[in-house]
Amino acid sequence: MNNGHDGSLSTGHGNSPRDMLARLETMVLMGIELPVSAVRRQIASGLDIMVHLGRMRDKSRKVLEIVEIIGYRYETEEILTHTLFEFEEGRRQSDKLEGSLVKKGELRQRKKLERAGFC
């Protein structure tokens, strides 16, 4: 994903985008001994967008959050994310949970994605 091949797509299992970043970091560290900061920098460089799906109380699956990976903060050694969309529950219709994705922010790395042909 991080060596010039645009358009990679993958799935993973986590309770939130932040949790998935931590799980990805852990999986890398299980396979090779590297400084955590190096692993986080590579993750931040290799990912652009994360889409988090979850199972709701009514057993349906919904897109709960879409986040953009916007970089890495060296001072705190953390991957920086920016929420683009977030699911907000609405009224419950019979047994079905209603709601929608609500826009929370603008895409910050638009030029990067435009250069790769995605915008």
Side-chain angles (χ1 to χ4, degrees):
M1 288 175 61
N2 198 25
N3 60 2
H5 294 90
D6 294 329
S8 296
L9 180 69
S10 183
T11 63
H13 297 269
N15 295 319
S16 68
R18 178 72 45 202
D19 184 52
M20 190 59 233
L21 290 170
R23 288 177 60 91
L24 184 55
E25 175 185 313
T26 299
M27 287 187 278
V28 170
L29 291 171
M30 287 171 57
I32 189 167
E33 194 171 318
L34 288 171
V36 172
S37 60
V39 172
R40 289 178 182 166
R41 286 193 310 270
Q42 289 295 305
I43 291 170
S45 176
L47 295 178
D48 297 313
I49 303 286
M50 293 179 73
V51 179
H52 176 235
L53 295 108
R55 188 181 300 264
M56 307 303 286
R57 293 182 304 280
D58 66 354
K59 307 296 184 216
S60 66
R61 293 183 191 268
K62 305 254 190 271
V63 174
L64 298 179
E65 193 172 1
I66 301 174
V67 299
E68 177 183 22
I69 310 304
I70 58 172
Y72 177 81
R73 180 175 290 138
Y74 285 88
E75 300 81 20
T76 57
E77 297 186 346
E78 68 180 316
I79 297 170
L80 302 173
T81 62
H82 172 65
T83 301
L84 300 173
F85 292 90
E86 199 168 58
F87 182 79
E88 289 186 7
E89 287 187 32
R91 286 186 278 163
R92 192 170 180 152
Q93 302 289 335
S94 65
D95 290 343
K96 188 175 179 184
L97 182 68
E98 298 292 328
S100 62
L101 278 177
V102 176
K103 188 173 186 175
K104 296 294 183 173
E106 295 291 328
L107 190 64
R108 294 184 184 176
Q109 303 290 333
R110 179 172 295 280
K111 290 213 183 289
K112 177 182 177 183
L113 295 175
E114 284 173 352
R115 283 191 301 271
F118 294 112
C119 290

